[in-house]
Amino acid sequence: MRPPDGEIARALVEREAGPGAVVIGGDYQGLGIVRSLGRRGIDVIVIDDERSISRHSRFATAAVRVPELRDEQTAVETLLSVGERYGLEGWVMFPTREETVAALSRHRERLQAQFRIPTPPWEVVRWAWDKRNTYELAAEIGIATPRTWTVSGADDLEEIDGDPPFAVKPAIKERFVYATGCKAWRADTRAQLTERVRAATKLIGAEEVIVQELIPGSGHTQLAYCAFFRDGRSVASMVVRRLRQHPPLFGRASTFVQTIEHPELEQLSERFLRRIGYYGLVELEYKHDERDGQTKLLDVNARTWGYHSLGQRAGVDFPYLLYADQLSLEVPEGLRAAAGVSWIRLATDVPTAAVQLAHGALEWPAYMRSLRAANVESVFCRDDPLPGLAEVGLLPYLAVKRGF
């Protein structure tokens, strides 16, 4: 049984291990950070406003359930309060959600009085936070993106000179995703486009709605570059093919991922990150457009990403590298993930694959081969089994709360 808060606080104050880490968000992404650092004897506290599987990890020093983290000002006050209660001066902050990234970035100076904040300042993060900024900069520096239109409402849709299908999505994904449980909506006709733009406008306001061409292609065309980036170059990097995602069309999260070699993607990504002066962990998502042969930038995530624990198996332990750099410990440079290593999240991959199998988009032999090839499961782990058991029990809650 985990000791009471007071005993944990006293133990942390009396320890001699040095500063630990604060993981904000205790789902499987946060669990990967907890295990990365906890296995090295680093104290880790998990803060979450949802039921967390990370709190059951034997590598978590403590877990703190708080009422609210989505509201920016409330999140900042909560983090400062927890830091004071536990004596976490100098601890390294690891956000796992978009709204937390924004809170840390915008209130960085205030939070730095107590914590180490690897999240870059807002003048850097804003290029990842708002897709309109992302695509504007990408165009300026010669990185392809899908054709995208900003509209002030359904009356402007006549200006869109492309052909369906379209994706209706938010420029800033936070509010849209929480309101709908979707990353984007598909529109197969002009009439459907009008309907969906109107619905999105009611949810998030016309200023945040964008319309984008829908690039065809399966998981083999979904790519990503992941890195610990510092001083204009990658200290460590990993390129992956995101073979399956949940939901299949506009995935909120990857479900089966494999490391690959892709020098072009590395060059494009580093060009973008170098231009904005980025520091820290980052994922850039792309899709290869087989129609014109271009690999097009979709998203930039200024934080850890769902499958980052794949890096630990492939030779690049991203959370620890960032932690070590924050404490001015020795950090080797030029690390690259080995190709051919696979990661899976069974809780979402099984239902995703079931849909694809039913519609003929995936064949049983191929699916079974991918299961056998998986080197890392996102939650289940022999040396830390309780989070996996907890996730099974929480599946109904996760399905309702966040669609897994």
Side-chain angles (χ1 to χ4, degrees):
M1 180 179 294
R2 197 178 299 281
D5 280 2
E7 293 182 20
I8 295 173
R10 285 193 294 275
L12 290 174
V13 170
E14 294 169 1
R15 79 200 181 294
E16 298 179 358
V22 178
V23 177
I24 311 169
D27 66 354
Y28 67 98
Q29 181 189 156
L31 178 63
I33 304 171
V34 170
R35 286 172 170 168
S36 164
L37 303 178
R39 287 189 174 111
R40 297 174 184 267
I42 299 165
D43 286 317
V44 185
I45 285 185
V46 179
I47 301 176
D48 207 343
D49 58 357
E50 298 180 354
R51 295 179 185 176
S52 166
I53 60 171
S54 292
R55 67 185 296 271
H56 299 283
S57 173
R58 72 185 187 91
F59 298 110
T61 307
V64 181
R65 179 81 180 271
V66 298
E68 172 65 59
L69 286 173
R70 290 186 185 179
D71 177 76
E72 185 173 302
Q73 194 61 49
T74 301
V76 171
E77 298 298 335
T78 297
L79 295 174
L80 290 171
S81 174
V82 172
E84 183 177 356
R85 185 198 318 168
Y86 285 94
L88 307 182
E89 184 174 352
W91 283 43
V92 182
M93 281 277 186
F94 284 84
T96 63
R97 304 176 194 160
E98 299 300 322
E99 65 270 24
T100 314
V101 169
L104 297 187
S105 181
R106 289 175 175 142
H107 299 269
R108 196 166 182 265
E109 185 173 347
R110 185 181 177 197
L111 289 163
Q112 278 183 319
Q114 184 161 350
F115 302 103
R116 288 179 167 89
I117 308 295
T119 302
W122 185 247
E123 57 265 27
V124 174
V125 169
R126 73 182 188 90
W127 296 106
W129 175 253
D130 189 327
K131 289 184 178 64
R132 293 164 296 190
N133 293 337
T134 302
Y135 299 150
E136 177 186 342
L137 179 59
E140 183 181 325
I141 60 179
I143 297 176
T145 61
R147 292 193 70 194
T148 304
W149 299 267
T150 56
V151 296
S152 58
D155 294 339
D156 291 344
L157 297 183
E158 291 183 2
E159 299 176 10
I160 296 176
D161 58 353
D163 296 317
F166 297 106
V168 178
K169 58 174 61 175
I172 301 168
K173 59 187 169 186
E174 174 195 0
R175 287 195 296 154
F176 185 87
V177 170
Y178 282 131
T180 68
C182 301
K183 196 172 182 179
W185 288 334
R186 177 174 175 142
D188 288 310
T189 65
R190 286 279 176 170
Q192 195 172 50
L193 177 63
T194 300
E195 173 191 334
R196 301 230 153 148
V197 167
R198 283 176 176 161
T201 298
K202 288 180 180 179
L203 283 174
I204 60 175
E207 66 280 359
E208 286 191 22
V209 178
I210 61 176
V211 177
Q212 197 168 77
E213 67 171 338
L214 189 60
I215 301 174
S218 64
H220 287 276
T221 66
Q222 296 165 177
L223 308 166
Y225 169 88
C226 314
F228 170 34
F229 202 80
R230 182 189 67 188
D231 298 330
R233 63 185 185 278
S234 63
V235 174
S237 63
M238 176 173 73
V239 180
V240 304
R241 197 180 304 278
R242 299 181 298 113
L243 290 162
R244 290 191 292 273
Q245 60 183 5
H246 172 77
L249 181 58
F250 300 119
R252 293 194 309 276
S254 299
T255 68
F256 183 78
V257 173
Q258 188 171 62
T259 55
I260 61 171
E261 296 284 350
H262 202 308
E264 178 196 6
L265 212 65
E266 295 179 23
Q267 294 168 8
L268 293 174
S269 303
E270 291 174 8
R271 186 190 310 169
F272 186 96
L273 298 171
R274 193 176 299 117
R275 180 61 176 269
I276 65 175
Y278 193 84
Y279 170 86
L281 303 183
V282 66
E283 180 207 33
L284 289 83
E285 297 180 4
Y286 296 83
K287 191 164 187 179
H288 184 72
D289 192 338
E290 295 176 337
R291 299 170 302 178
D292 58 17
Q294 292 187 303
T295 302
K296 298 178 179 179
L297 178 63
L298 299 177
D299 281 303
V300 180
N301 295 309
R303 52 170 171 77
T304 52
W305 48 99
Y307 56 88
H308 70 84
S309 56
L310 169 60
Q312 297 170 39
R313 183 61 179 267
V316 185
D317 191 344
F318 289 106
Y320 176 71
L321 290 171
L322 181 65
Y323 172 88
D325 192 63
Q326 285 289 297
L327 268 69
S328 300
L329 304 176
E330 183 178 355
V331 177
E333 296 199 19
L335 296 175
R336 297 164 65 92
V341 185
S342 301
W343 173 98
I344 193 170
R345 186 174 182 229
L346 288 171
T348 47
D349 192 66
V350 170
T352 296
V355 172
Q356 293 179 319
L357 288 164
H359 289 85
L362 181 64
E363 297 181 353
W364 272 107
Y367 184 56
M368 296 307 296
R369 284 195 299 271
S370 71
L371 291 180
R372 289 193 293 270
N375 305 104
V376 182
E377 209 288 324
S378 64
V379 174
F380 291 93
C381 186
R382 290 182 180 178
D383 69 341
D384 191 27
L386 287 183
L389 297 175
E391 183 172 65
V392 171
L394 285 173
L395 284 178
Y397 168 83
L398 294 172
V400 172
K401 187 75 174 179
R402 54 169 61 190
F404 292 102

